[in-house]
Amino acid sequence: MAPTTATSPPDPSLRSLAAALLLAVMWGLSIPITKLGLLTLPPLTLTALRFLIAIPLMFIFVAGKQRLPRRALLRVAALGILGIGIGQVAQTFGVAGTSASVGTTISAAIPAFVVVFAALRLKQPVSRLQALGILAAFIGIALVASGRGDAASAASQTTLTGAGLVLLSALTIAFYYVWSVELSDQYGTATVAAWSTLFGFIAVLPWAIWEMSHTPVQLTPTGIGAALYLGVMVTVAGLFLWLHLLRTVPARIAASIQYLQPIIGVATAAVMFGDELGPLFIAGVLLVLAGLTLTVTTRRKGAS
């Protein structure tokens, strides 16, 4: 179905690794900044504003590029509803029910799910040690989500529903990325990203309008700034950079470097919100880093 990605891409260059690290920083900041935006904007309103900002920029990239044929509309619409209507909305509501630190760390499951889906759909190989690295990272995420400290700790500010919604978003967003790669091989990365985002925004918009009619909305500089960062840096720049990485380096490498996101997000959350990190939280983050090391430094014999 996707001949250009059916085998693992060549080993990453230094430039590709630098791009992956930059993306880890950009996305690592996304949950704390979402949490900041939620201080003045309700969840659906923040999500809709984010994509209202992103869509015009995305279609600038589409101008003069490959058109989306009618036969692809249904699949691209389903892609947008999955990634935005379910994935991003679940993430925003989940962040509202978790601390910024916990939400960031659970979101680190996205790269792990990407590796799994890429192995299943794109036939990219994963060795036993790399699988062990993914498992270690998942255990670390579980420790972070379940660890309890004092009343001010990051985990004590988290509800089970909030953590579950963030995990649901991780699953759906990961599948969105891998499915995007498949469709991008046929219709172009910029085209698929722009149209799927538009369809996802259309699915969210009626609910956001309903929310704004029932919930007070304050368009503060903080809320607008958060929406701008999420729309421009996370959605537009981040999405195109991530899809480019998935097409040019093995998914296990691109995904595993993104395990640095929780470290960046946790450090930012500690500064912005004063999240206190208990021993289980720290143990979980160390396991995430161990998973990163295994996934990056081990290779399956004979795999390219």
Side-chain angles (χ1 to χ4, degrees), residues 46-303:
L46 177 60
T47 302
L49 184 58
R50 165 186 179 174
F51 290 105
L52 182 64
I53 292 168
I55 287 170
L57 297 175
M58 299 184 89
F59 273 93
I60 291 175
F61 288 96
V62 174
K65 296 185 182 294
Q66 184 176 354
R67 290 186 177 183
L68 186 69
R70 290 185 179 180
R71 67 178 182 276
L73 286 176
L74 186 59
R75 282 188 294 166
V76 174
L79 178 70
I81 292 170
L82 175 73
I84 296 173
I86 298 175
Q88 296 295 344
V89 170
Q91 184 180 86
T92 306
F93 275 102
V95 169
T98 64
S99 72
S101 298
V102 171
T104 298
T105 308
I106 296 175
S107 290
I110 292 175
F113 284 134
V114 166
V115 172
V116 173
F117 289 138
L120 293 174
R121 296 187 66 89
L122 306 182
K123 309 304 181 186
Q124 294 186 9
V126 178
S127 73
R128 290 181 180 178
L129 281 177
Q130 290 156 9
L132 180 62
I134 294 171
L135 177 61
F138 269 119
I139 295 173
I141 291 167
L143 285 177
V144 166
S146 63
R148 294 283 169 176
D150 57 50
S153 72
S156 66
Q157 302 169 39
T158 299
T159 65
L160 184 60
T161 299
L165 285 171
V166 176
L167 192 58
L168 171 64
S169 77
L171 179 64
T172 53
I173 291 171
F175 191 80
Y176 168 87
Y177 289 144
V178 174
W179 196 7
S180 293
V181 171
E182 296 181 55
L183 294 175
S184 295
D185 284 337
Q186 301 174 54
Y187 309 118
T189 298
T191 301
V192 170
W195 282 100
S196 64
T197 302
L198 177 60
F199 283 121
F201 172 73
I202 291 172
V204 170
L205 187 58
W207 298 102
I209 293 172
W210 177 87
E211 181 186 68
M212 285 186 282
S213 68
H214 290 77
T215 307
V217 175
Q218 297 179 350
L219 289 177
T220 64
T222 297
I224 294 173
L228 280 169
Y229 181 86
L230 295 172
V232 177
M233 300 302 294
V234 177
T235 302
V236 180
L239 179 59
F240 282 115
L241 183 55
W242 176 241
L243 293 177
H244 170 73
L245 288 170
L246 285 181
R247 292 168 62 87
T248 56
V249 302
R252 62 177 175 82
I253 298 293
S256 59
I257 292 176
Q258 298 312 305
Y259 281 128
L260 292 173
Q261 288 183 42
I263 312 303
I264 296 163
V266 165
T268 304
V271 172
M272 291 175 62
F273 303 104
D275 288 358
E276 295 185 14
L277 314 179
L280 283 181
F281 194 108
I282 295 172
V285 170
L286 290 176
L287 271 176
V288 169
L289 287 174
L292 164 66
T293 302
L294 281 176
T295 313
V296 170
T297 60
T298 61
R299 297 184 58 191
R300 193 165 107 175
K301 188 176 291 186

